[in-house]
Amino acid sequence: SRFLKKVADRLSISIHHARLFEQSQTYAIQLEQQIEEREKAEKMLQKNRSDLMVILDNLPFLAWLKDSEGCFVAVNVPFAQASGHSSPEDLIGKTDLDIWPKTLAESYRADDNSVMLSRKKKAVEEIISDQGVDKWFETYKAPLFDVDGKVTGTTGFARDISDRKW
């Protein structure tokens, strides 16, 4: 009877271990599938971002996106060049105060705040220094929203209208 009890206990433990092993195998397979799906989604996001940057870089005017604190999240090549930088990546995380003269930067920030508070688009004509040369630009700004409708920043573009202003 003792012998049978020991055998039954060991058999019970073996069955329990087999079930745990089977469950761990199932979890491992599910985890692998989730990792593959996440990697696929990340690659798709990278491709989408790359495609969007190609579009931005080929626009014939300055374009940007800023977060709610006024930090640049993305800028295009013409914007980087106008601000005297060789690469858009040089400007990511910087603010207008980091790249433009103080009076212009403060004006841009005031416009951004106005757009975010009103939740409405805004167009202005203003002088912008393009590689040290003052030019007239028509600037268009709009608020950015998350999926819940919360304002998360601004986006905009500026195109040179100097020919019709001078």
Side-chain angles (χ1 to χ4, degrees), residues 82-113:
S83 65
H85 292 82
S86 58
S87 168
E89 290 77 25
D90 295 343
L91 300 170
I92 305 308
K94 294 187 177 178
T95 68
D96 289 315
L97 286 167
D98 297 320
I99 60 173
W100 305 116
K102 186 177 180 180
T103 50
L104 288 176
E106 288 172 348
S107 171
Y108 301 159
R109 186 65 185 151
D111 284 342
D112 290 343
N113 286 333

Side-chain angles (χ1 to χ4, degrees), residues 45-161:
L45 284 172
Q46 288 173 345
K47 181 179 179 338
N48 288 346
R49 179 169 173 75
S50 176
D51 291 348
L52 289 173
M53 288 311 299
V54 167
I55 292 168
L56 277 177
D57 288 340
N58 283 290
L59 294 173
F61 37 76
L62 289 63
W64 62 90
L65 287 101
K66 296 180 195 173
D67 65 18
S68 61
E69 301 300 314
C71 295
F72 290 101
V73 176
V75 302
N76 67 352
V77 169
F79 185 100
Q81 291 171 342
S83 65
H85 292 82
S86 58
S87 168
E89 290 77 25
D90 295 343
L91 300 170
I92 305 308
K94 294 187 177 178
T95 68
D96 289 315
L97 286 167
D98 297 320
I99 60 173
W100 305 116
K102 186 177 180 180
T103 50
L104 288 176
E106 288 172 348
S107 171
Y108 301 159
R109 186 65 185 151
D111 284 342
D112 290 343
N113 286 333
S114 168
V115 165
M116 287 188 290
L117 287 172
S118 70
R119 303 172 64 91
K120 295 187 177 169
K121 301 170 186 172
K122 181 176 188 174
V124 295
E125 291 183 0
E126 60 194 347
I127 295 177
I128 296 176
S129 179
D130 182 354
Q131 299 179 37
V133 177
D134 287 346
K135 296 180 180 178
W136 277 97
F137 280 84
E138 177 180 47
T139 302
Y140 172 86
K141 294 184 178 188
L144 293 173
F145 301 96
D146 66 13
V147 293
D148 297 322
K150 179 184 173 200
V151 176
T152 59
T154 61
T155 185
F157 67 85
R159 65 185 182 109
D160 187 345
I161 58 168

Side-chain angles (χ1 to χ4, degrees), residues 14-66:
S14 294
I15 291 171
H16 181 70
H17 284 152
R19 285 184 183 150
L20 287 176
F21 180 76
E22 186 178 311
Q23 285 176 343
S24 68
Q25 292 294 88
T26 301
Y27 292 145
I29 291 169
Q30 289 172 346
L31 185 58
E32 275 184 37
Q33 290 171 342
Q34 289 173 355
I35 290 170
E36 286 176 15
E37 288 172 14
R38 183 178 180 130
E39 287 173 349
K40 190 175 180 180
E42 286 176 1
K43 284 180 183 176
M44 186 173 286
L45 284 172
Q46 288 173 345
K47 181 179 179 338
N48 288 346
R49 179 169 173 75
S50 176
D51 291 348
L52 289 173
M53 288 311 299
V54 167
I55 292 168
L56 277 177
D57 288 340
N58 283 290
L59 294 173
F61 37 76
L62 289 63
W64 62 90
L65 287 101
K66 296 180 195 173

